[in-house]
Amino acid sequence: MEQAARLYLDLLKKCLTRAVFPDSYRPVLTPGMQYNPLVRSVYSVFDRCLRAAGLVLMRPLEASVRTDGKDWPKEAETMIGLLRLQNLEDCVIEVLEQGVPGDLVETGVWRGGACIFMRGILAAFGDRERVVWAADSFQGLPRPDERYPQERADKHWQLAEVLGISLAEVQANFARYGLLDGQVRFLEGWFKETLPRAPIGRIAVLRLDGDMYSSTMDALEHLYPKLSSAGFVIIDDYGAVPVCRQAVEDYRRQNGITEPIVRIDWAGVFWKKR
């Protein structure tokens, strides 16, 4: 049964990233280019002209892009790549095998791929008690929070057309894989409003993918104290977004957290709570 579960999870990872039937091409506009207003505006005009003629500007897709999670896929349910999905699988299976109490939580779910995968792991190993919590605004990222001068120049809020995936679409993605049921709960709204009153008890795996300083700090302040001993916290943007890394380091320093940070790939890290 465990071998069958592993085969299922391997296939699920490849489907969620579209690595099993990869796109032949990917969008020309990369995540880094998205942050440049001038590039975005010029590209938008050019793209509209091409679409009027029935054409789309694309570029070849290298297999490593989906392994490393280095693009914003056109159709895949997750952008985090195979390496970070494998890390998520390892963490969830360990807490299941070790009986670490608590639910599985992700803050910042985009199209829902990582949460779908966590629900798939629970199904594969026959866990009928734990809940997967998917917390997101489902409308993109907020404007810079005046509480934190560290993110005064943050531009993520301008990318709602790419990062703002509706709750209905995320739920449809869960349903596509047969994984939308009572073991999945959604927290809709800005983190500073939803997380302080979230009806979450103990947490076994906490995955943060909020990009911004405020989103990262809000998640850590309100959810990390609920993380069980021997549970895992995963930070998706630690190596990719400097203010996310700063929020993590500030929180760890303020709370005397000394567990070693382990690198997953170019962007993601995690540590195990002692």
Side-chain angles (χ1 to χ4, degrees), residues 96-113:
L96 293 179
E97 291 179 340
Q98 298 299 320
V100 178
D103 292 335
L104 315 177
V105 182
E106 183 176 47
T107 59
V109 307
W110 197 47
R111 293 176 182 156

Side-chain angles (χ1 to χ4, degrees), residues 47-137:
D47 185 55
R48 283 199 299 269
C49 293
L50 284 175
R51 289 180 184 278
L55 301 172
V56 179
L57 186 63
M58 306 290 280
R59 61 175 173 163
L61 174 67
E62 304 85 8
S64 62
V65 169
R66 294 294 164 83
T67 299
D68 299 332
K70 287 189 172 180
D71 75 332
W72 289 346
K74 187 71 175 174
E75 296 179 343
E77 286 84 11
T78 182
M79 65 171 78
I80 70 175
L82 291 170
L83 294 177
R84 272 169 274 166
L85 280 179
Q86 183 60 53
N87 164 258
L88 184 57
E89 178 180 340
D90 294 341
C91 291
V92 174
I93 290 178
E94 181 169 329
V95 301
L96 293 179
E97 291 179 340
Q98 298 299 320
V100 178
D103 292 335
L104 315 177
V105 182
E106 183 176 47
T107 59
V109 307
W110 197 47
R111 293 176 182 156
C115 288
I116 292 170
F117 188 55
M118 288 193 288
R119 179 64 190 93
I121 298 172
L122 295 183
F125 284 83
D127 187 298
R128 300 178 182 275
E129 302 298 326
R130 299 177 196 257
V131 171
V132 174
W133 295 87
D136 201 292
S137 71

Side-chain angles (χ1 to χ4, degrees), residues 228-242:
S228 297
S229 296
F232 293 94
V233 59
I234 303 167
I235 315 293
D236 186 83
D237 305 300
Y238 186 87
V241 184

Side-chain angles (χ1 to χ4, degrees), residues 205-220:
V205 175
L206 173 61
R207 189 174 195 282
L208 276 57
D209 195 355
D211 298 89
M212 301 173 67
Y213 186 98
S214 59
S215 301
T216 303
M217 187 61 77
D218 285 337
L220 287 169

Side-chain angles (χ1 to χ4, degrees), residues 179-230:
L179 295 171
L180 181 64
D181 60 13
Q183 284 182 254
V184 181
R185 310 275 176 81
F186 299 93
L187 291 174
E188 183 177 11
W190 304 123
F191 294 161
K192 64 181 180 181
E193 299 169 356
T194 61
L195 298 185
R197 53 185 174 83
I200 302 173
R202 302 300 296 167
I203 298 173
V205 175
L206 173 61
R207 189 174 195 282
L208 276 57
D209 195 355
D211 298 89
M212 301 173 67
Y213 186 98
S214 59
S215 301
T216 303
M217 187 61 77
D218 285 337
L220 287 169
E221 286 184 341
H222 297 294
L223 299 181
Y224 189 80
K226 299 181 179 183
L227 185 66
S228 297
S229 296

